[in-house]
Amino acid sequence: MTRTALVTGGTGNLGRHVVRRLAASGAAVRVASRSARPSGAGVDCEWAAVDYRTRAGLDVALAGVDVVVHCASGSAKGEAETMAALLSSGRRARLAHLVYISIVGVDRLPMRYYQAKLAAERALIASGMPWTILRATQFHDFALSLVKGMCAVPIALVPKGISCQPVSADEVAVRLADLAAGSPAGRAPDFGGPEITPFGELAHSYLTSVGRKSRVVALPLPGKLGRGLRSGYGLTPEHGDGLQTFAEFLRRTGDDRPS
């Protein structure tokens, strides 16, 4: 029997990959989005316009759904709001499985958004709804945006002693699609990129990829957050299961640039 999967945030960086991977696996896919379906949406799927704040459209979006892959993200407030809405409507729909994407280190790094993700995890666990939570490291796209910011000035400034383990969003999507096809698994093993790399090296890789020569200077990041990052709380060395490296991602991104 064909499973029906609802993907929240199905037009986002991760969600669009999840939609494509689920569709390729034979699932009937429905996208939950705050906006109306755009023209040329790509993968053939159903569309459900949902307002998580008012919960308008959510009961209809969940009708007949076997599993939700919750990829919608945004502000800390929005994280709590969206999870609360899904749990409320999911109970009424007798949802059999909710798969939630979280972040490695949400329970150890003092950032407001991470704290919101952890609170959403706890709400899901306490809900009584069958669940799976996958924590992943930062996506290549996000790591690139950080590095671009660090290199935006003539002398690139990077955090001293802090590394990143960037991972392909599409590879995380493959793992989420696999989890959605199975039974609720609780806390799934973390998923990280294949390499743990200091930000200084990531900056050098980026500068080389765009043909720039800039000096890279490492400065200490103060406070509890800096200590946590230096301790590797955002890394998962034992679960570096991703395949695409940051350098490979940069080459692909460069190939996609207009000539």
Side-chain angles (χ1 to χ4, degrees):
M1 183 176 66
T2 300
R3 292 171 63 84
T4 299
L6 178 73
V7 181
T8 71
T11 60
N13 180 39
L14 173 63
R16 60 189 173 85
H17 290 294
V18 174
V19 168
R20 182 168 56 83
R21 291 295 182 176
L22 285 169
S25 74
V29 183
R30 186 178 300 161
V31 172
S33 174
R34 292 180 173 87
S35 58
R37 182 180 186 128
S39 59
V43 174
D44 183 24
C45 60
E46 297 179 29
W47 200 272
V50 171
D51 185 327
Y52 296 105
R53 183 178 57 83
T54 65
R55 304 185 184 181
L58 189 51
D59 287 349
V60 173
L62 286 166
V65 166
D66 300 298
V67 58
V68 170
V69 184
H70 182 21
C71 301
S73 62
S75 65
K77 179 182 177 182
E79 200 70 32
E81 189 175 79
T82 305
M83 180 60 81
L86 279 172
L87 294 178
S88 176
S89 291
R91 289 187 193 99
R92 288 193 295 275
R94 299 183 182 276
L95 182 64
H97 190 187
L98 196 156
V99 181
Y100 181 50
I101 180 66
S102 191
I103 309 169
V104 172
V106 291
D107 53 343
R108 306 187 78 180
L109 293 170
M111 291 185 282
R112 187 164 177 248
Y113 183 62
Y114 277 34
Q115 291 163 353
K117 295 288 285 187
L118 180 60
E121 285 187 9
R122 289 172 173 168
L124 174 57
I125 292 167
S127 70
M129 186 177 296
W131 57 275
T132 300
I133 294 172
L134 174 67
R135 291 180 181 175
T137 54
Q138 300 294 342
F139 298 147
H140 287 311
D141 312 74
F142 183 70
L144 177 58
S145 69
L146 290 177
V147 170
K148 280 183 175 179
M150 296 169 189
C151 297
V153 292
I155 297 178
L157 303 176
V158 300
K160 186 176 182 179
I162 294 176
S163 295
C164 188
Q165 191 178 355
V167 67
S168 161
D170 187 49
E171 291 174 358
V172 174
V174 171
R175 178 63 61 87
L176 287 170
D178 288 344
L179 291 170
S183 301
R187 265 291 304 279
D190 293 345
F191 192 87
E195 296 178 342
I196 295 174
T197 309
F199 269 103
E201 292 184 24
L202 295 179
H204 281 296
S205 295
Y206 166 70
L207 290 167
T208 299
S209 75
V210 295
R212 282 177 52 197
K213 293 182 179 180
S214 297
R215 183 182 173 198
V216 177
V217 175
L219 298 176
L221 182 67
K224 188 175 180 181
L225 175 60
R227 290 194 297 273
L229 290 170
R230 284 190 293 275
S231 297
Y233 293 164
L235 309 174
T236 180
E238 66 277 21
H239 294 294
D241 300 321
L243 299 176
Q244 187 186 56
T245 66
F246 187 68
E248 290 167 342
F249 169 77
L250 287 176
R251 284 196 292 273
R252 188 208 73 186
T253 302
D255 290 342
D256 290 343
R257 293 189 192 110
S259 56

